[in-house]
Amino acid sequence: MAISRPSLDTQPDREPSAPVPPASNTPAFDLEAYVARSRAVDLSAIPWDEIPRHPLSAETVRTLRFMQDIEIHTIIYLRSLLATRAIDEPEVATFLACWVYEETFHGIALARFLEAAGYPLEPRARPHGREPLSQRIEAAATAMVSKAWPNFCAVHMTWGAINELTTLTGYRRLVAIARHPVLTDLLERIIIDESRHFFFYYRQAEIRLQRPVVARTARFLVDRFWVPVGSGVQPREELEFMARYLFSGADGRAAARKVDDTIRRLPGFASVQLVEAWMNTNVTESAGATGARPGARRGTPYGGHHGHGYH
Ligand SMILES: [Fe+2]
Ligand SMILES: [Fe+2]
């Protein structure tokens, strides 16, 4: 079943005389195998009773709360996506069904970890489903862009690739910083899922951005509207705290730069400014400094998780 490649031939605004260059050396994503293997993250071997025996900093708990909230928000982000062309693309729709399932279980797993560590989650002040007006306007704007632009999925896939890569990099950084053996075990399982998500989005983006006219529009939208996952879902100070905790210092900066460099290999994105530039504009590294600087980008019609960013 040929479900691993989008059909470029069905794109309405294709320039008839423009040959489609071959995609890069990135291997094909085997969607059929992914769907067959998709399941909830396996928690059966996690030694939950051992969690309180290891130190867990307040900063790690705060970061985990943020990440848990973003994972659980995935289904709300999916609600916005279902109002776009994503639902009309069989490969994308199939992927999204498994993706939201896996992301939801990431949220459940992180909630269970926090509870076992003695930090059960409080009920959310605003339920996820009751989004603020700004988020609903962003969802409507996304649907409008999708309606107006036949190649909307190219930017959706690029967006997803950025956010999945940021998410899995964030989890890797948390493993390195927290040094909690049970958390490491749990996050390494989640990271395997996030790596598969990233691969799907990245490969799709790479194929869909082959045509310069599509890449130019996608690049414009990312330049104008991209902000890290969690923007608009969690308070800004929480996003800035987490960004500083995970991506400050030499190792954090190097991790952020690696995300950016990977996305820069996509067609048309060679000079894109993403995580590191956002850090430079929005996050000061000195303790206690959280202020956003003038000129910081705000808002996006593509909002949330990987959307789920740090998903
Ligand atoms: Fe996730
Ligand atoms: Fe993911």
Side-chain angles (χ1 to χ4, degrees):
M1 186 162 45
I3 54 177
S4 61
R5 290 178 69 98
S7 170
L8 290 164
D9 293 325
T10 58
Q11 301 300 323
D13 75 342
R14 178 175 176 182
E15 305 128 302
S17 59
V20 177
S24 79
N25 293 327
T26 309
F29 182 91
D30 189 342
L31 183 58
E32 200 170 358
Y34 168 72
V35 169
R37 217 168 35 191
S38 175
R39 63 192 175 99
V41 61
D42 183 5
L43 304 178
S44 59
I46 300 290
W48 302 101
D49 294 346
E50 287 182 22
I51 291 172
R53 293 187 202 146
H54 305 277
L56 190 66
S57 73
E59 289 84 2
T60 296
V61 169
R62 189 173 170 184
T63 300
L64 283 170
R65 283 192 179 125
F66 181 100
M67 289 169 147
Q68 194 277 341
D69 195 66
I70 301 308
E71 295 281 6
I72 289 296
H73 193 79
T74 305
I75 197 163
I76 307 301
Y77 181 57
L78 180 67
R79 179 168 67 183
S80 301
L81 287 175
L82 294 181
T84 73
R85 290 174 188 269
I87 198 65
D88 297 324
E89 300 247 3
E91 302 95 343
V92 175
T94 299
F95 170 79
L96 291 178
C98 297
W99 168 78
V100 72
Y101 174 75
E102 293 179 2
E103 302 294 15
T104 299
F105 276 99
H106 296 169
I108 290 170
L110 294 181
R112 186 168 170 190
F113 179 91
L114 285 166
E115 183 164 8
Y119 301 95
L121 292 168
E122 303 279 320
R124 217 169 183 264
R126 177 196 288 269
H128 277 283
R130 212 183 303 153
E131 292 183 290
L133 182 62
S134 61
Q135 293 283 293
R136 283 184 276 138
I137 290 172
E138 287 180 11
T142 303
M144 280 171 57
V145 171
S146 169
K147 199 166 266 184
W149 187 35
N151 287 293
F152 169 81
C153 278
V155 75
H156 170 201
M157 296 295 106
T158 307
W159 206 271
I162 298 167
N163 287 345
E164 293 288 347
L165 185 55
T166 312
T167 300
L168 82 87
T169 304
Y171 282 137
R172 279 190 185 135
R173 289 288 302 142
L174 189 56
V175 165
I177 294 167
R179 302 169 82 88
H180 185 294
V182 183
L183 183 60
T184 297
D185 189 352
L186 177 59
L187 291 183
E188 283 177 349
R189 291 163 195 268
I190 292 176
I191 285 168
I192 291 171
D193 288 350
E194 307 297 11
S195 301
R196 291 195 193 108
H197 300 165
F198 163 70
F199 185 26
F200 173 83
Y201 283 117
Y202 192 82
R203 181 62 181 151
Q204 286 277 329
E206 195 173 47
I207 295 167
R208 292 167 188 272
L209 295 171
Q210 290 295 312
R211 284 178 295 134
V213 66
V214 175
R216 272 197 302 276
T217 309
R219 173 70 190 275
F220 168 80
L221 291 168
V222 168
D223 282 349
R224 175 64 187 83
F225 295 112
W226 179 83
V227 284
V229 160
S231 306
V233 177
Q234 279 277 310
R236 185 166 184 92
E237 62 268 23
E238 293 306 298
L239 175 66
E240 290 175 4
F241 165 80
M242 190 194 61
R244 185 182 309 106
Y245 187 54
L246 297 179
F247 294 110
S248 289
D251 290 349
R253 287 279 162 168
R257 197 166 303 139
K258 200 166 166 197
V259 171
D260 295 350
D261 287 344
T262 303
I263 301 302
R264 287 179 186 136
R265 291 201 284 273
L266 288 173
F269 280 72
S271 58
V272 73
Q273 300 295 312
L274 294 169
V275 181
E276 193 176 16
W278 186 89
M279 291 282 297
N280 288 339
T281 307
N282 295 280
V283 177
T284 51
E285 296 207 8
S286 56
T290 58
R293 296 177 190 161
R297 281 185 291 187
R298 51 179 195 85
T300 162
Y302 308 101
H305 187 272
H306 309 255
H308 112 163
Y310 278 88
H311 257 209

